[in-house]
Amino acid sequence: VYKRQVIYNTVRHAEHFSWDELASFMDRLVETDVALKSSGSDPKLLMERLLVESCKAGESVQRPGGSGS
């Protein structure tokens, strides 16, 4: 039951993003995954960078019902 809920929530939230936004985020995920496995960089720093970049990318997107600020 838990897995179905996770999938349901993922699909429900994905509807708020364009295909381009989702593809861009997937690209960042793959880049981070490769860096985690091969670069020897601090994993915490890599994950923080992924989070910050993803949030910054979403700042400029107008959402339905949002204030646009």
Side-chain angles (χ1 to χ4, degrees):
V1 174
Y2 174 74
K3 289 181 183 180
R4 280 188 245 149
Q5 186 67 28
V6 170
I7 293 169
Y8 170 78
N9 285 334
T10 301
V11 171
R12 187 169 59 101
H13 293 295
E15 293 174 348
H16 297 284
F17 299 91
S18 70
W19 282 108
D20 289 340
E21 289 174 296
L22 292 172
S24 177
F25 183 67
M26 290 301 295
D27 288 341
R28 287 194 299 276
L29 282 174
V30 169
E31 291 169 4
T32 301
D33 183 54
V34 169
L36 284 167
K37 293 175 180 174
S38 63
S39 72
S41 296
D42 180 12
K44 182 179 176 184
L45 179 62
L46 292 170
M47 295 304 292
E48 286 176 357
R49 185 180 330 154
L50 172 65
L51 180 63
V52 169
E53 288 175 359
S54 299
C55 291
K56 285 177 75 176
E59 285 178 352
S60 62
V61 177
Q62 290 284 348
R63 301 272 178 244
S67 63
S69 56

